[in-house]
């Protein structure tokens, strides 16, 4: 049994409110006390841009990734990246940048401009393996100086 506080049972009384993050007059709630749950309203997040890092080669997943990028490996009959994109969309973030590299053409072919999934997708190619920090840095022009959401595509 874990000893983390939750909202049902022992420990619920120890939860402390987390103040919202405010930048330039816009409020973004923290999910610290509500992990894994979507906000009550997604309207606050609609102005956030999302960055998804999907450039890795997936060498530890060989031979599954020999001809298919890791983000397109199926999970419950859908590519794992599709689950991520729909989850981000359901949280209210619909303007996405996908950082791609290894077999990125397959990712572009599957998702296109994103309209099929209710999002707008822009792509940025990462030249060679450079790590998470460098990949996130490729999003600088896309996000500008605004807060943004970033996650891995696998």
């Amino acid at each position: 049994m874990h000893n983390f506080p939750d909202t049902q049972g022992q420990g619920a009384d120890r939860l402390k409110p987390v103040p919202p993050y405010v930048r330039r007059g816009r409020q973004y709630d923290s999910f610290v006390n509500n992990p894994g749950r979507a906000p009550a309203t997604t309207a606050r997040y609609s102005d956030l841009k999302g960055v998804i890092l999907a450039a890795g080669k997936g060498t530890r997943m060989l031979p599954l990734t020999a001809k298919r990028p890791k983000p397109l490996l199926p999970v419950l009959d859908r590519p794992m990246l599709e689950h991520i994109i729909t989850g981000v969309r359901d949280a209210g973030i619909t303007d996405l940048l996908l950082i791609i590299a290894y077999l990125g053409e397959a990712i572009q072919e599957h998702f296109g401009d994103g309209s099929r999934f209710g999002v707008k997708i822009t792509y940025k190619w990462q030249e060679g393996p450079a790590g998470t920090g460098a990949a996130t840095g490729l999003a600088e022009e896309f996000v500008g100086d605004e807060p943004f959401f970033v996650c891995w595509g696998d």
Side-chain angles (χ1 to χ4, degrees), residues 7-122:
T7 56
Q8 297 178 8
Q10 189 175 17
D13 56 327
R14 293 190 308 235
L15 288 176
K16 294 183 177 142
V18 176
Y21 170 65
V22 178
R23 179 168 180 179
R24 295 191 181 170
R26 286 180 269 175
Q27 178 175 317
Y28 304 92
D29 289 335
S30 169
F31 291 101
V32 171
N33 285 332
N34 200 11
R37 297 192 181 114
T41 175
T42 58
R44 298 181 191 151
Y45 303 97
S46 63
D47 60 337
L48 281 178
K49 291 185 176 183
V51 178
I52 301 176
L53 310 178
K57 195 168 183 180
T59 55
R60 292 180 297 235
M61 298 291 285
L62 285 168
L64 298 174
T65 56
K67 296 181 181 177
R68 178 189 321 213
K70 188 166 64 165
L72 291 186
L73 289 176
V75 175
L76 299 174
D77 297 324
R78 289 179 22 213
M80 73 173 90
L81 184 55
E82 191 173 317
H83 290 281
I84 294 166
I85 287 174
T86 56
V88 169
R89 177 206 62 209
D90 292 348
I93 301 171
T94 58
D95 195 2
L96 303 175
L97 174 68
L98 268 58
I99 307 294
I100 56 174
Y102 176 70
L103 300 177
E105 297 87 359
I107 294 172
Q108 284 181 308
E109 184 178 315
H110 182 82
F111 293 102
D113 66 359
S115 59
R116 222 169 24 115
F117 304 95
V119 297
K120 177 186 171 206
I121 297 177
T122 304

